[in-house]
Each structure stands twice: as C-alpha cells, then as structure tokens.
Amino acid sequence: MRIKVNREKCTGCRLCLQICAIEHFKEINPKKAALRIEAKFPDPGKYRPFVCTQCGKCAEVCPENAISRVASSAYIVDQDKCTNCGVCIPACPVGVVFQHPDHDFVIICNFCMLCTELCNTGAIVKWEKAASLEAKEA
Amino acid sequence: MANGLAGKTMRINLSTGAIRSFPTDEELYRRWHGGRGITAKILYDEVPRDAAPLGPKNIFIINSGIMSGCFIPAGSKVEFGSVSPLTNGPGDSNMGGHLGPTLKFAGYDMIIFEDVSPKPVYLFIDNETVELRDASGYWGLKSLDCEKKLKEDLGEDFEIATIGPAGENGVLFSCITHDFGRQAGRTGQGAVMGSKKLKAIAVRGNKSIHVNDLAALRKQVTEIMLRTQKHPNMIPWQKYGTAFFIQWSNANACIPAYNFQTTYYEDIDKIDGDQLVEKCLISHKACFGCWMNCGKYTKAVIPGKPEVHLEGPEYETGSLCGSNLGMKDINHVAYINWLLDNLGMDSMSGGGVIAFAMECFQRGLITEADLEGQTLKWGSVDDVEHFLDMVAHRRGIGDWFAGGTKRAAAKIGRGSEKFAMQVKGQEFSGYDGRWAPGMLLSYMTADIGAHHNRSWTITVDMAEGRERVEGRAKIVVYLQHIRPLFDTWCICRLFWGELDITPEEIVESLNHITGWGVSVQEVLRTSEMIWNLNRCHYIERNRNIGRTFDYPPARSWEDKIPSGPGQGKGLSLAQIDQMLDEYYAARGWDTSGNPTRALLEDLGLGYAADRLEKSGFLGKPIPGGIPPVRGEKYKPKAF
Amino acid sequence: MVIYLKAGGELRTKLKPDVDDYTRRVETEAGKALKDILTGIGINPAFVAFAFKDGQMKRLDYVPLDGDVITLQPPVSGG
C-alpha cells in the first residue's frame, strides 16, 4: 500500500496536516504533521502535497540506527535512540521529515493513512500496487 | 488554556512602538464569544464618541475568535474591527484563508492597535518574536505584489495580510488582502490600517491549540465530514463556489444591472459560473480546514493586457462588477476583480462606486473633462481601469468617489443621491431589494450599513410574497442574530449553512472546544446583545435617532424595475415605513428606532442604557412592553 | 422512464427522498423539461438555482434522459 498524490486536486485545505498531528500527538498543530503542502501563488497558482514514499533514506543515513522497520511495515523512529541530530532531514527526497521544539525526536510518517481518509478531493489517496508488480520488485 | 483559545492578547501602541503581551481574558470571551463580539465591546468601551475613524484615537483590532483553527470545518476566519470611516459606526469585516488559525498557532488570540505610527511599519510575528518592522520597502506596493515580496523576504510559510495603495491613501472602502485573494472587504478596515501607517501583518507559528474535549470534537467533526462528503450540494459548490448563483439571481430579477437601474441582464450568459470555470479557472482554493473549497483561483486574459491571476470573481464581485457595470466578458469581470484586489479596495463597494460613477457619466453629471479625458462607459474595462486608478490615488474627481457613493453623491448633487445605492454610507451587496422586501429591510437595518451577510431573505420573500411586507421584519431579526454568530466564532457560515448542519450541531462543536455547555438559545442572546451594543454605539456617534439613517436610497421606492421578470415591481415608501415600524417593534426599540431601557437591561446592557440616556437618545418605553423574544425563525411552508 | 433527483437543505424536505437520504426516484414521460417535472412533483422551480448532472450545470429547461441522476441545487443563502 502506498499514498498516491494527485497534485492537481489539492486545494490547500490542510485537513491532512491537522488530522496527522491530532492522531499522533493529540494536539491541533499543523507543524507537527509528517507531510507538507506547498503553495505556489500567484504563479502558477496551485498547491502540491508532499508525502512519505517509504524510500528508507532517512533510515539509511541515521547515525544512531534510530529509524527502522519490521518486514514491510512502515518506518518508525525509536524515540529513545533518536538524538534529534537532524541528519535525516536533508536526506529525505520529498522533505517530509520534521523537527519540532516540543520534542527531542524527529517526526516521520508512520503510514497510518488517516490523511487519505480525510482528503475530500482525492489529492492524496491510498494506492495498492498490483500483486504481480510487488512480486517483481521483491 | 484548553478552551480553543491560543492564550495571549497583545496591545500595541503604534506611536511609541510599545508591545504589551498578556494572558487572554477568558471572561471576556465567555461573555462576548470573540470575533465581532469582542470588537464590538472594545470599540464601545474605548473609542471616544467624537474620535475620527482615520484619526489616532480609533482602535484597530484583529481577532481570531474561539473556533478558528480548531479542527472544525471551515474554521478559518479572522475578524478585523474598528470604527468604520465609511459608516462612522462600529465596523467589522472578516476573511477566510489561513491568517486566523496561524495567529493562534503563533500563540495569539487578539491584537489591539492603538494610535498612529510615525512611519510605515508592518507587524512581524514568529511565535514569541513580535516586532514592528520598518515597512518603507513595502509602502506603495500593491496588495498582491506586497504579499509576494513579503513571502520572498520572510519565508513562504508566513501568512500575510496587507493593504494596497488605496488603504495607504485613505480610500474609505479600502480592504485588507490575504492569501493572494481573500479579503476583509467591508467597512473600510484597510483605510483604518492605512491611517495608522500599518502596511501589513506577517505571522508564523508552530504552537498547538488545545480544546476542552479533543476526542469528542474529533468524533463529531469526522461524522460531519463523512456526511457532508455525500451531500448533493457539495460537488456543485466545489466546482463553482458561489458563482453558480449568477444565473439564478438574474432569472429571479434580483441581480443588479447598470447600477441597480434594472434587475435583469441580457448578457448574463457571458459572465456566469460556467464562463468562469471554462475560461478562467486555474485551481480550486480552500480556506483552512474546509473541503468545500469554494475559492476559485483564476486568470484574466485580455488581449493587450498582461495575464493576471486572482481569486474570484465569486457571486458578489461577479454581479457588482459584472452585470452592474454592463460587462460582457468574464475575463473583464475577473480583471476588474484583480484591479480592486491589488489596489486594495472592497470589490463590493468598489463595484457599487464604479456603477454609480458610470450612471453619473451616462446622465452627464460627470464628463470626460472630469475624468482626465477618459470616458466611463458601461462595459468598458479600460474605462474602469483608468477610473480606479484615479480613485485609489484620490486624483481629481477620484477623491470624491474615494469616500464611497454617499459622499460622492453629496458632492455631485443634482439628484444623484437617489441612485447612490448605499445605506449608512456602505454600498449594497449584489441583490436588488425592490422585489425582495426582506432583502431591502436587511440592507436598511444591518449594523454596518448595507450588507447581506447579517440577513438574507430572498427565498423567504419568494415564498411569502415578493410584494408583501407583513411579517418580514421578525424573520430579519432572527437572521441578524444567527448569521453574525459565525463572525463571532470566526468560522465560515457558507459551509455550515449550506450543507444541512443544524445550529444544535454547531453549538455542540462550540461546547467540545470551549467546555462552556451553552445552548442555542443562549448563543442567540449573546448575538442579540452584540447587535444592540453596536446599535447604541452607532446612535451615540451619529447623534441622531435611529430612524434618520435606516432608509435606503430613493431609487428603492421611486423607480419601479423597468425590465425583465420584475418589470413594474417595486415597493412604496409607505411599505418601507411599515417594514421599519415592524422591525423596531420586533427589536424592542421605540418608534424612532432607539433601543429601550427595558430591552437593554434584559440583555445585561444597563450601562449602555445609561449612556444612551445621557446622550439624549434612549428609546421611549413601549406601551405593553418589549416582546419577550425578539426575532422568529422562518418555517418554510409555501415553496 | 425513470430519473433520480437529489437535493439537500429545504429542497430535500419538499423532494421527499425515497431511495436514500437525499435521492428520490421519479417516473416520468420522456421529452418533458425538468422544470415541468419539478412542478409535477410539487417543487416550485424558482427555488432551484440550477440542476447538476455528470459535473455539468443544467438549466431547468433541460430534458432529462432515462436513468439521469440530477442534483437540484438550492439558491445559496447569500455570499
């Protein structure tokens, strides 16, 4: 399962950012979300979501091995091991690893998919690769 | 705080530069609910009754209400309040976008600006860092250009609100622009900012908002979300925004055409919602937390002019700058919308002012000699562009129109007052009232001059009789209580009002956020209290009985509608007086339109009664007493 | 032939949905304009801002086809 972005459908409502922080931190705070919305106005006049692709680059560069995953589950941060050094942040190709002054660990997406359930326009949706493709890539 | 508030309020003295931050007064919010409620209270208490609206003693307030930013649908608004230079009374205006929530994410519920800065400044907020910064590099820039530059200089994640040259130059219907296309347009709040040499506000914040019961709020909001996703109105709204309304308004003889000379426009097909979506649409644009995404980000493409991008035109601008100006191309309407946004003028009053000037030109009351050699003909986008430049810079006769239609008509005379389509100095919204008596009454009695957002009754008028006035008043009163609540809470009425969400559900959300445990009845009373405080303030400032300023322009009863489905229709002055009499009685005011002591004390406003009495304008006691409940909810029967 | 009409708000009350919360099944003759169909089921067409079908706005003189699912949009209450 992946999160697919249909960027031309994003309207910038930021509901995805809100539900992400509510789910993971029980707070209303878009700056604690694990995805981001880029706004480009007045030209071309569009929004674009950036979401985690589970590429694993953050885990690769982490000097503390604080980011890992079990089998094909999502990558997660071990908050005890993480030193908040931030090396993973520029390593993320889509820029969705975050730090926040309230916490001493980085924030990454755990693929709970709630953002896709709340997105009303289809800008971010759940997407399953065909089983044959998955097998091919394995 | 775990009640939806961010926690801090700021008072800024622009003359000394002193910035004082203190805990938000929770009692004040409990009593006045925030948004326009608190602006009403502060302006009433603190602005001297003889203070000039563009002078140092006026106060300019930014307030993001209780519910803004609190994970509820359309929880996006921010309110601005000050004594309006257009109406000389308490004024407020709100806008969507993202500024209100971001102010709260930075930790602030309200900012109160006092006095005048000696030099142009902008307010910079980055969480705890609050500075009045030199704005000399931005003063003079048009609104949209200024927002772009501030974002380049400070960072894309700053939310910006700015005035344009019109606000800097004291055009009385100047607006505040934000998010490249949202405006706080009405009542000239941009002019007050400009008079204080406050060019812009730039905010960024990463704090959390805490509510009383997040789990309950989340559950309720998620249910509303899933329900409204399936609502039949959602898809048309998402596609067109309010622009779909243009055709209906025309077909039902409500749309203003040629400065409200008539109410049916032959070329409506050239400027309707389909035209907007087919010819101009770039993307759909939402405010914070709203999936109705009624905003339409568009381009205006006119040969010989640069392509421009804007948000709109929505219904109001589409009608007031479309059919009202005789425009025959949606790109022209969009371009005029862009001109007004960028120069920083309310597109509603702007459309009204241009239309009034065009009719003056039509009648020979102003000529090319007055317009620097340019004409001002119906349907000419080039003429409009030139005229707006004169107005924004108050050049020549532009200075007259910079005061709105009422002041321009006072200068021009020769009967032009009759078709200056305004009440109390503020221009009509995009609906004619001659065949919609409740709508006319709404304009007459709105606290901020002619405006539809307080009450809108056209479908009631159609159901109950478009030529009958009996019984309309108490429905207007009820609407004037329930609709402004959204501006008090700083959430968008459109989402909540158009998708079958009940008042009880909205109050349930309010209670999950605040923990207040209030009822619908109680919040309606709070709204009535705010309404009456504003009325007292208005009467005291203008030193006259209410009845003197509650009338519409004479076109409303002298000119019957000349064409279209409404041909021949129109109210008489006797009917207008009858509506006003019924309205005052329904409100618990005397026959002069002044609030009575019995009413004010019933609302806990005894001190306002004392002040009104001292000023000589307290309403005389009503024989038989005041109605126990003011306003009545309309129950649709005929349809 | 059969068409399906959907409406929210006050229009929904008048429509009397029978398929789901918002939808009513209407049997009608082919060739009849939507506004006449509405009048026939007790809805005043003046209270319908426009009709919406397959993502397109339709005027009330539109003649529905068999199986059409049409949303009736009420006038916005100002804005």
Side-chain angles (χ1 to χ4, degrees), chain B residues 18 38 54 132 208 476 521 540:
Chain B
I38 289 195
L54 297 184
L132 282 172
S208 302
V476 168
Q521 227 174 331
E540 282 186 58

Side-chain angles (χ1 to χ4, degrees), chain B residues 230-233 235-237 239-240 242 244-245 247-248 252 269 272 274 315-316 431 452 456 459 462-463 483 493 498 500 636 639, chain C residues 6-12 14 22 42-50 52 55-57 59 71-79:
Chain B
K230 296 196 288 271
H231 194 285
N233 295 355
I235 294 177
W237 265 107
K239 181 172 179 182
Y240 294 104
T242 56
F244 72 71
F245 201 43
Q247 283 283 357
W248 183 88
N252 288 282
D269 288 353
D272 67 3
D274 269 329
Y315 173 79
E316 296 295 331
Y431 316 93
H452 67 285
W456 185 93
T459 41
M462 287 165 64
R483 284 162 71 102
R493 184 191 82 243
E498 305 295 333
D500 290 333
F639 213 65
Chain C
K6 298 166 77 97
E10 284 169 13
L11 261 183
R12 171 164 66 147
K14 210 65 189 166
Y22 301 107
I43 293 183
N44 182 343
F47 291 90
V48 177
F50 66 92
F52 201 71
Q56 297 294 325
M57 213 193 292
R59 311 281 172 84
T71 297
L72 306 174
Q73 177 71 30
V76 66
S77 59

Side-chain angles (χ1 to χ4, degrees), chain B residues 146-319:
Chain B
C146 184
E147 179 164 2
K148 184 163 182 253
K149 186 165 185 343
L150 275 165
K151 278 185 180 262
E152 283 164 3
D153 294 346
L154 302 178
E156 280 298 322
D157 57 346
F158 274 83
E159 296 298 338
I160 311 285
T162 169
I163 59 172
E168 294 171 9
N169 297 331
V171 173
L172 297 194
F173 53 94
S174 297
C175 67
I176 302 167
T177 297
H178 157 65
D179 197 29
F180 295 102
R182 288 278 159 177
Q183 284 79 25
R186 310 248 66 198
T187 71
Q189 299 294 318
V192 175
M193 260 182 83
S195 72
K196 296 190 176 305
K197 297 260 184 305
L198 179 63
K199 175 66 177 176
I201 300 121
V203 192
R204 179 170 70 177
N206 64 6
K207 298 184 192 310
S208 302
I209 297 174
H210 301 281
V211 301
N212 185 252
D213 189 340
L214 182 60
L217 181 69
R218 179 180 170 173
K219 180 167 183 293
Q220 188 208 12
V221 168
T222 311
E223 273 165 10
I224 290 175
M225 245 177 237
L226 295 175
R227 198 174 88 207
T228 54
Q229 276 175 4
K230 296 196 288 271
H231 194 285
N233 295 355
M234 184 58 90
I235 294 177
W237 265 107
Q238 288 176 322
K239 181 172 179 182
Y240 294 104
T242 56
F244 72 71
F245 201 43
I246 295 261
Q247 283 283 357
W248 183 88
S249 191
N250 193 53
N252 288 282
C254 304
I255 209 162
Y258 304 103
N259 193 40
F260 292 84
Q261 288 184 77
T262 188
T263 65
Y264 184 75
Y265 190 57
E266 303 287 347
D267 290 299
I268 202 77
D269 288 353
K270 300 184 173 143
I271 58 164
D272 67 3
D274 269 329
Q275 283 289 293
L276 180 68
V277 166
E278 281 161 34
K279 299 230 166 93
C280 302
L281 185 70
I282 296 175
S283 59
H284 302 290
K285 197 158 174 284
C287 296
F288 188 82
C290 183
W291 57 96
M292 209 175 191
N293 54 258
C294 70
K296 303 291 150 243
Y297 202 69
T298 59
K299 58 184 194 287
V301 180
I302 301 175
K305 294 194 192 300
E307 176 177 312
V308 297
H309 292 181
L310 66 141
E311 187 171 338
E314 79 309 346
Y315 173 79
E316 296 295 331
T317 312
S319 58

Side-chain angles (χ1 to χ4, degrees), chain B residues 271-566:
Chain B
I271 58 164
D272 67 3
D274 269 329
Q275 283 289 293
L276 180 68
V277 166
E278 281 161 34
K279 299 230 166 93
C280 302
L281 185 70
I282 296 175
S283 59
H284 302 290
K285 197 158 174 284
C287 296
F288 188 82
C290 183
W291 57 96
M292 209 175 191
N293 54 258
C294 70
K296 303 291 150 243
Y297 202 69
T298 59
K299 58 184 194 287
V301 180
I302 301 175
K305 294 194 192 300
E307 176 177 312
V308 297
H309 292 181
L310 66 141
E311 187 171 338
E314 79 309 346
Y315 173 79
E316 296 295 331
T317 312
S319 58
L320 289 163
C321 296
S323 50
N324 205 31
L325 306 184
M327 292 296 151
K328 298 187 196 322
D329 183 336
I330 189 65
N331 282 284
H332 294 188
V333 184
Y335 189 76
I336 294 169
N337 192 159
W338 174 82
L339 284 169
L340 288 160
D341 288 357
N342 215 5
L343 289 166
M345 292 182 273
D346 175 22
S347 58
M348 290 173 67
S349 282
V353 166
I354 300 165
F356 171 72
M358 281 177 164
E359 186 167 352
C360 288
F361 187 82
Q362 172 198 316
R363 296 184 187 282
L365 302 182
I366 61 173
T367 66
E368 283 165 63
D370 298 311
L371 293 163
E372 299 174 340
Q374 187 94 10
T375 53
L376 190 53
K377 297 215 220 51
W378 300 110
S380 168
V381 68
D382 289 335
D383 285 356
V384 170
E385 184 160 23
H386 174 260
F387 175 71
L388 285 179
D389 196 64
M390 288 182 74
V391 174
H393 298 99
R394 298 178 62 177
R395 216 166 55 236
I397 207 174
D399 185 52
W400 292 3
F401 293 93
T405 53
K406 181 178 175 184
R407 289 170 187 78
K411 287 272 182 16
I412 292 169
R414 290 169 285 163
S416 62
E417 297 88 342
K418 167 169 141 167
F419 54 84
M421 302 308 291
Q422 52 77 37
V423 178
K424 298 180 180 65
Q426 173 151 272
E427 286 67 29
F428 277 27
S429 305
Y431 316 93
D432 192 285
R434 285 171 287 182
W435 204 24
M439 199 64 233
L440 192 65
L441 183 64
S442 301
Y443 287 149
M444 290 158 64
T445 58
D447 53 347
I448 52 164
H451 194 33
H452 67 285
N453 101 329
R454 303 318 197 221
S455 79
W456 185 93
T457 63
I458 297 181
T459 41
V460 175
D461 290 320
M462 287 165 64
E464 296 298 311
R466 296 180 77 160
E467 285 137 87
R468 288 186 64 243
V469 303
E470 293 78 12
R472 219 54 50 94
K474 50 189 190 310
I475 297 166
V476 168
V477 171
Y478 175 81
L479 292 169
Q480 287 173 339
H481 294 161
I482 193 147
R483 284 162 71 102
L485 277 170
F486 294 91
D487 304 337
T488 309
W489 296 325
C490 289
I491 60 176
C492 181
R493 184 191 82 243
L494 281 187
F495 183 96
W496 293 79
E498 305 295 333
L499 297 171
D500 290 333
I501 303 173
T502 63
E504 287 71 19
E505 286 180 290
I506 301 166
V507 169
E508 189 189 330
S509 298
L510 174 68
N511 287 329
H512 290 324
I513 289 169
T514 59
W516 287 345
V518 296
S519 65
V520 172
Q521 227 174 331
E522 195 184 326
V523 302
L524 286 172
R525 267 183 75 85
T526 302
S527 193
E528 187 184 3
M529 179 180 73
I530 297 164
W531 191 272
N532 278 279
L533 192 71
N534 275 343
R535 182 67 170 183
C536 292
H537 192 173
Y538 196 90
I539 290 171
E540 282 186 58
R541 276 195 69 87
N542 290 278
R543 296 200 193 101
N544 218 327
I545 58 166
R547 202 171 192 103
T548 53
F549 35 71
D550 288 340
Y551 280 94
R555 167 157 286 163
S556 311
W557 67 86
E558 282 181 14
D559 292 353
K560 301 297 169 225
I561 298 172
S563 64

